[in-house]
Amino acid sequence: MKAKKLTARERRLSRETTSVSCESVGLDPAVYHAALRYLFDRPVPEKGGQEWYWDIDEPEFEATPLQWTHIQTVLFANAGNDLALYSDDQVGMGLNHVMSNNAGDIPHMVNDSTVPLADAMRMMRALPTLWRDYLGPRLSTAEPSTIGSRSDRLYFVSYMWFDVWPTFWNAKHIPEWQDAMWRVFCEMLAMPFREAQVSALHGIGHEGNCLNRPKELQAHLEAFIRQVKNDDELKTYAQAAARGMVQ
């Protein structure tokens, strides 16, 4: 299945976000490229084996919370280019480590008191580009499947991000974070990639009640459902997300 073309608005948003660079956020490029190697330049374990980050002898990557925030900002904004060298499994492993605190504290770094809110919000503005430029196009090349049925690493990251990601949950009481998360979901629902839409709907189903805009959310989902054509499963999933009833 061919990936759908981006609209003019989506191309403009992509250009704006991909202008984010190490220099623009004040991050040493050497630190960023070392982080890329740390996260993604890893062997894929044999069937039944464990991902690299479960190795208790694996040294931690030395970076401050602000540096990790900047690393994620640049990574999200430039994923289409910077992750092209790695396989889907390598990217799936690395992004899983970024999004989940099951084996580390990376997703908690932006919530640290030493990270200015402006830097956190810049990271959030970059987040949808991870789907627009990388996850959406990559996952669109596979055969269509039932929502939530795939078990490969890259799909798991896309589908489960807002379910297991503690970052927003830790900041859900802060109005700026509520607004930022709402914008992330709106951008993802507007993308021409089904898996980006599914990820947003999954997140809304789990965290929609934390966005502090129930009428606006309901109206937005109703409008989304009206424009979905020839995809009853996606419509049903959106209806379930509106009720907070996704798995």
Side-chain angles (χ1 to χ4, degrees):
M1 182 175 68
K2 291 184 178 179
K4 299 178 183 177
K5 293 183 178 180
L6 297 177
T7 65
R9 176 180 177 274
E10 288 156 349
R11 288 194 297 271
R12 176 179 57 79
L13 287 171
S14 180
R15 287 194 298 270
E16 289 175 357
T17 311
T18 52
S19 65
V20 173
S21 65
C22 291
E23 291 74 17
S24 71
V25 303
L27 176 66
D28 183 347
V31 172
Y32 177 65
H33 290 293
L36 288 181
R37 292 191 296 272
Y38 170 77
L39 291 168
F40 304 109
D41 191 9
R42 301 287 186 167
V44 178
E46 298 291 335
K47 186 176 181 180
Q50 289 188 328
E51 278 77 359
W52 61 271
Y53 46 76
W54 290 111
D55 184 354
I56 60 173
D57 295 323
E58 177 65 36
E60 293 288 335
F61 186 82
E62 297 295 333
T64 67
L66 183 57
Q67 284 177 316
W68 265 121
T69 300
H70 291 164
I71 289 166
Q72 291 178 86
T73 302
V74 179
L75 171 62
F76 298 155
N78 297 280
N81 289 323
D82 293 351
L83 297 181
L85 294 175
Y86 306 104
S87 71
D88 286 358
D89 279 334
Q90 286 177 308
V91 173
M93 287 191 298
L95 288 180
N96 193 10
H97 197 35
V98 168
M99 77 171 184
S100 175
N101 63 337
N102 61 0
D105 293 326
I106 296 173
H108 294 297
M109 293 298 182
V110 69
N111 302 127
D112 191 87
S113 61
T114 63
V115 176
L117 182 61
D119 290 83
M121 294 300 95
R122 182 167 53 190
M123 188 196 84
M124 289 296 287
R125 288 194 298 273
L127 180 56
T129 310
L130 175 62
W131 275 266
R132 184 166 52 243
D133 289 358
Y134 187 82
L135 291 173
R138 292 290 294 183
L139 292 171
S140 292
T141 61
E143 291 297 320
S145 59
T146 302
I147 292 172
S149 65
R150 287 173 55 177
S151 59
D152 56 285
R153 290 179 174 91
L154 199 63
Y155 181 86
F156 176 83
V157 163
S158 177
Y159 180 63
M160 293 295 290
W161 190 287
F162 301 106
D163 190 342
V164 305
W165 193 52
T167 304
F168 174 64
W169 188 255
N170 290 336
K172 63 184 182 295
H173 59 286
I174 301 173
E176 290 87 351
W177 275 92
Q178 295 168 1
D179 293 345
M181 193 73 259
W182 169 244
R183 288 191 295 269
V184 167
F185 287 147
C186 288
E187 283 195 44
M188 292 175 66
L189 286 176
M191 291 178 192
F193 306 113
R194 188 177 192 259
E195 301 310 339
Q197 296 169 348
V198 167
S199 180
L201 292 171
H202 195 189
I204 288 170
H206 285 282
E207 299 178 340
N209 63 340
C210 300
L211 299 175
N212 198 30
R213 43 176 39 89
K215 292 182 179 180
E216 190 178 357
L217 176 59
Q218 186 66 35
H220 199 84
L221 287 178
E222 289 175 357
F224 173 79
I225 291 168
R226 286 195 298 270
Q227 60 85 38
V228 173
K229 307 297 182 184
N230 304 315
D231 195 335
D232 290 340
E233 184 188 28
L234 187 60
K235 287 185 178 182
T236 300
Y237 197 74
Q239 292 165 347
R243 300 192 303 271
M245 298 293 290
V246 298
Q247 297 296 319

